Amino acid sequence: MTGEIIIPENIAQAKKYLKQKFVPLAGGTTLLLNRSANQKLLDLSKLKLNYIKYQKKSINLGAMTTIGELLEEKKLENIFGGLIPKALLTIGSNLNRQMITVGGNIVGIHPWSVLPALFLLLNSRIKTIQKKIYPAEKFFATAPKSLLKNELVSEVEIPLAWAKSIGRWEKLSLTATDYPLISVGVLPVEESIRIVTVGLSLLPQLFIIARKNIDKEIENIGEKVKISQDIRASIEYKREILKNILTDILQ
Ligand SMILES: Cc1cc2nc3c(=O)[nH]c(=O)nc-3n(C[C@H](O)[C@H](O)[C@H](O)COP(=O)(O)OP(=O)(O)OC[C@H]3O[C@@H](n4cnc5c(N)ncnc54)[C@H](O)[C@@H]3O)c2cc1C
């Protein structure tokens, strides 16, 4: 491939190249494998988007922070009952986790992408260098690339209002590092329980249920959930597995 690669030194330069149809390059774990001929790339590595910031009411993760760096951050183990590192450890191999970034995982979305579901579960907000702010429910209601057009994600803000709730994350896959057949995240919040799924469709799915009549709520989720074809398992198998995982976690 012969396309140009530019490494902007600051946000102003990055904005200029985005207008010229340069494509953002983060960890490169998808983009460099599928690069089309003469595609012009904008390497984000010098934009200082690699950080974890603690604010009074939120944690803000820079878009270029890698999964490996998040896993080194011990403070993340003390919120949401350790939900965040537990979910992150289900992503690929240790080697992949050193390259995959927050921004790349949420914008280049796949059915197996963990961070979109995690950020949806935690009611996060996605911010861009163009100063736009998208609630996760809006950002992941459609393929993020079609929403963003030429925008660049700068950070994800996770509110801490529910930080004392104990979350759960379960993955079912053929091997430990394989893509999930299904993953489920659960976070009890006040009178309700938030549930997200990974591996059932391109976009993560969020369900908010009451804490009573759990059996009935699980049956309802089984009926409502959208499941795409997957050569590894039938739709009905995945539906039953989802209900079994939820029953195990919630009862
Ligand atoms: C073997 C393997 C196994 C994997 N397993 C899993 C798994 O189980 N679970 C999981 O969640 N992921 C998994 N991944 C990672 C996932 O498939 C993607 O490769 C990864 O999320 C892409 O992130 P990246 O930082 O490498 O992005 P890149 O490949 O650099 O970019 C991906 C896309 O996002 C865009 N982009 C990147 N950053 C920004 C930004 N800041 N603003 C706007 N657009 C941006 C790019 O233009 C591109 O379109 C796996 C990857 C591999 C190679």
Side-chain angles (χ1 to χ4, degrees):
M1 299 301 155
T2 53
E4 198 178 346
I5 301 188
I6 296 282
I7 312 179
E9 299 280 341
N10 54 50
I11 297 290
Q13 280 182 13
K15 282 183 178 167
K16 187 179 94 185
Y17 288 109
L18 285 169
K19 284 186 188 146
Q20 296 172 27
K21 306 280 179 227
F22 276 76
V23 175
L25 171 65
T29 60
T30 294
L31 200 50
L32 293 181
L33 290 182
N34 305 297
R35 192 174 173 197
S36 46
N38 298 322
Q39 189 176 36
K40 298 189 292 184
L41 296 181
L42 194 65
D43 182 330
L44 310 181
S45 57
K46 290 196 175 168
L47 294 182
K48 301 189 174 67
L49 293 176
N50 188 301
Y51 56 81
I52 302 170
K53 285 183 190 159
Y54 291 85
Q55 316 283 7
K56 210 170 169 191
K57 295 186 175 172
S58 66
I59 296 184
N60 296 44
L61 311 178
M64 285 297 283
T65 313
T66 65
I67 305 298
E69 287 164 337
L70 293 176
L71 280 167
E72 279 169 24
E73 180 64 34
K74 294 291 166 214
K75 285 187 193 165
L76 294 180
E77 289 170 14
N78 302 327
I79 52 175
F80 306 108
L83 169 76
I84 295 176
K86 187 148 193 235
L88 298 178
L89 279 169
T90 67
I91 297 178
S93 66
N94 187 31
L95 185 63
N96 302 141
R97 295 196 286 262
Q98 306 313 314
M99 296 185 281
I100 298 165
T101 64
V102 168
N105 196 256
I106 65 171
V107 178
I109 199 164
H110 296 282
W112 54 83
S113 300
V114 166
L115 293 187
L118 182 65
F119 294 148
L120 194 55
L121 185 66
L122 300 179
N123 202 25
S124 310
R125 302 197 304 165
I126 290 87
K127 300 183 176 182
T128 70
I129 61 167
Q130 288 82 358
K131 307 278 180 222
K132 281 210 188 152
I133 300 178
Y134 298 97
E137 280 197 52
K138 178 166 185 204
F139 196 79
F140 300 117
T142 177
K145 267 188 217 167
S146 60
L147 185 73
L148 285 175
K149 303 204 169 66
N150 291 333
E151 285 171 78
L152 191 70
V153 171
S154 55
E155 69 173 24
V156 176
E157 180 179 87
I158 303 175
L160 289 175
W162 302 331
K164 292 204 170 109
S165 297
I166 309 287
R168 290 276 302 269
W169 195 273
E170 298 297 334
K171 169 184 170 182
L172 180 76
S173 56
L174 300 178
T175 66
T177 56
D178 196 9
Y179 298 119
L181 279 172
I182 174 172
S183 290
V184 179
V186 172
L187 188 72
V189 173
E190 293 151 13
E191 295 309 306
S192 55
I193 302 173
R194 294 170 71 85
I195 295 166
V196 285
T197 61
V198 176
L200 300 183
S201 49
L202 173 64
L203 301 170
Q205 296 175 60
L206 172 69
F207 301 92
I208 302 174
I209 63 170
R211 286 193 190 227
K212 47 192 177 192
N213 298 330
I214 294 288
D215 282 346
K216 191 156 182 292
E217 295 282 8
I218 292 174
E219 278 305 315
N220 282 342
I221 290 176
E223 280 168 28
K224 278 194 232 155
V225 69
K226 296 187 189 86
I227 306 178
S228 308
Q229 294 289 348
D230 180 339
I231 52 166
R232 299 169 302 166
S234 71
I235 289 175
E236 277 320 304
Y237 178 79
K238 285 195 169 190
R239 193 186 312 280
E240 285 309 306
I241 292 291
L242 169 64
K243 290 197 279 182
N244 282 334
I245 293 176
L246 287 175
T247 304
D248 271 1
I249 295 177
L250 298 176
Q251 294 201 327

